[in-house]
């Protein structure tokens, strides 16, 4: 028996929302582990810069912008990748947005926009890339969930609903597609300071998060890379439907003092 473990050599990975924050760190990590990696987002300069970083690691990439609210752009992304690389083995869905608004002030437009990116976008990406994986009888899908997939966070109702839904979608696809050789999992990060959430963490909320995190600090995005490589690799060939928590002990904690 040959154990390939965590080696991603020869694999082709797509990271939707991979040009900044958590997605960017995971994209570079997958490249270091051996995969060719295509990162995509709406901003061409970010796509270009991340592609250069991946190529500097000795891997191949493409420069393709996409918008998770536009099915045709995701279909076009898949088509271009298959034309260049012949396949997609790994999909990471890391696109996300949030905004803090008391529920009674939450407009339908804001609710709709957050769910459109965080949940409906994942539906589109998983459906489009998952069909290709089902046809090939192989695939690894990793969604980026949240603490909000498990517990409520104050005044981010739309975000909470979207991330709880994403966890449910992950489990559903895992049981539907297991027979096709596809593993569908998610990573639930604890509190990692990124452009998406830094405003929320600069006040009392950040201090409360630290109080409730046994490790007593925010995570570094690089600390998510190991989980992503594991779930993308053959080492996790019997792991599906799992929400892997990387949270410094937050969800395990009760009384910390």
């Amino acid at each position: 028996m040959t154990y390939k473990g965590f080696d991603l050599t020869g694999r082709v990975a797509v990271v939707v929302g991979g040009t900044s924050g958590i997605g960017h760190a995971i994209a570079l990590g997958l490249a270091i582990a051996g995969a060719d990696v295509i990162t995509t987002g709406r901003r061409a300069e970010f796509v270009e810069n991340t592609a250069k970083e991946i190529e500097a690691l000795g891997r191949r990439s493409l420069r393709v912008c996409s918008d998770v609210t536009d099915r045709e752009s995701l279909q076009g992304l898949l088509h271009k990748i298959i034309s260049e690389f012949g396949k997609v083995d790994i999909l990471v869905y890391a696109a996300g947005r949030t905004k803090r608004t008391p529920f009674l002030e939450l407009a339908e437009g804001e609710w709709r926009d957050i769910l459109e990116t965080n949940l409906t976008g994942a539906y589109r990406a998983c459906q489009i890339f998952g069909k290709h994986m089902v046809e090939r009888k192989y695939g690894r899908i990793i969604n980026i969930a949240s603490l909000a997939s498990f517990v409520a966070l104050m005044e981010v109702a739309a975000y909470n609903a979207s991330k709880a839904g994403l966890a449910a979608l992950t489990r559903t696809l895992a049981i539907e597609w297991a027979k096709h050789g596809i593993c569908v999992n998610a990573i639930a990060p604890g509190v990692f300071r990124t452009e998406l959430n830094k405003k929320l963490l600069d006040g009392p909320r950040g201090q409360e998060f630290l109080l409730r995190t046994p490790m007593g600090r925010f995570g570094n995005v690089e600390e998510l890379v190991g989980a992503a490589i594991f779930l993308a690799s053959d080492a996790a060939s019997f792991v599906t439907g799992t929400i892997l928590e990387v949270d410094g002990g937050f969800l395990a904690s009760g009384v910390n003092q």
Side-chain angles (χ1 to χ4, degrees):
M1 181 178 70
T2 301
Y3 180 65
K4 296 181 180 179
F6 304 102
D7 184 12
L8 300 181
T9 300
R11 299 300 188 192
V12 177
V14 178
V15 184
V16 178
T19 60
S20 63
I22 287 170
H24 179 259
I26 289 174
L28 297 183
L30 296 178
I32 290 169
D36 295 322
V37 183
I38 298 90
T39 60
T40 186
R42 293 180 296 176
R43 293 171 290 188
E45 68 273 22
F46 281 51
V47 171
E48 173 69 26
N49 291 340
T50 307
K52 288 180 179 178
E53 291 179 280
I54 292 165
E55 290 167 347
L57 294 169
R59 311 303 175 200
R60 299 170 65 203
S61 190
L62 285 178
R63 287 119 169 108
V64 184
C65 293
S66 70
D67 182 346
V68 300
T69 69
D70 181 351
R71 174 174 287 269
E72 288 187 4
S73 79
L74 292 173
Q75 291 276 17
L77 172 65
L78 174 62
H79 176 75
K80 290 177 182 178
I81 295 170
I82 291 175
S83 295
E84 182 70 23
F85 294 90
K87 61 175 182 173
V88 174
D89 299 296
I90 301 158
L91 169 67
V92 180
Y93 189 83
R97 62 186 299 179
T98 189
K99 183 180 179 183
R100 185 172 185 175
T101 305
F103 183 71
L104 292 180
E105 300 173 16
L106 179 60
E108 284 194 24
E110 182 179 321
W111 169 275
R112 184 170 54 249
D113 289 346
I114 290 172
L115 266 73
E116 182 73 14
T117 296
N118 296 1
L119 182 56
T120 308
Y123 145 75
R124 293 188 186 99
C126 288
Q127 194 172 69
I128 289 166
F129 286 89
K131 183 177 186 294
H132 167 72
M133 292 176 177
V134 166
E135 290 170 351
R136 293 186 61 236
K137 301 294 183 182
Y138 180 88
R140 299 287 186 267
I141 295 176
I142 305 168
N143 293 317
I144 302 303
S146 168
L147 297 176
S149 300
F150 302 93
V151 298
L153 307 179
M154 176 72 90
E155 295 182 343
V156 285
Y159 180 80
N160 292 342
S162 71
K163 290 299 185 177
L166 185 61
L169 177 65
T170 297
R171 296 186 184 102
T172 300
L173 297 183
I175 63 171
E176 285 195 27
W177 291 347
K179 63 186 176 183
H180 299 296
I182 301 169
C183 297
V184 187
N185 296 287
I187 297 171
V191 187
F192 292 75
R193 182 181 291 276
T194 67
E195 289 298 315
L196 181 67
N197 66 12
K198 66 179 182 179
K199 290 183 179 179
L200 294 177
L201 300 182
D202 285 339
R205 170 163 292 194
Q207 293 306 307
E208 183 176 353
F209 275 129
L210 291 176
L211 180 66
R212 295 187 179 208
T213 301
M215 286 191 176
R217 65 175 177 85
F218 298 135
N220 299 312
V221 290
E222 291 77 14
E223 292 176 297
L224 294 164
V225 170
I229 292 172
F230 167 63
L231 293 175
S233 73
D234 287 340
S237 58
F238 201 57
V239 178
T240 198
T242 293
I243 315 297
L244 179 55
E245 303 155 14
V246 185
D247 67 352
F250 182 99
L251 290 170
S253 72
V255 176
N256 291 328
Q257 296 188 31

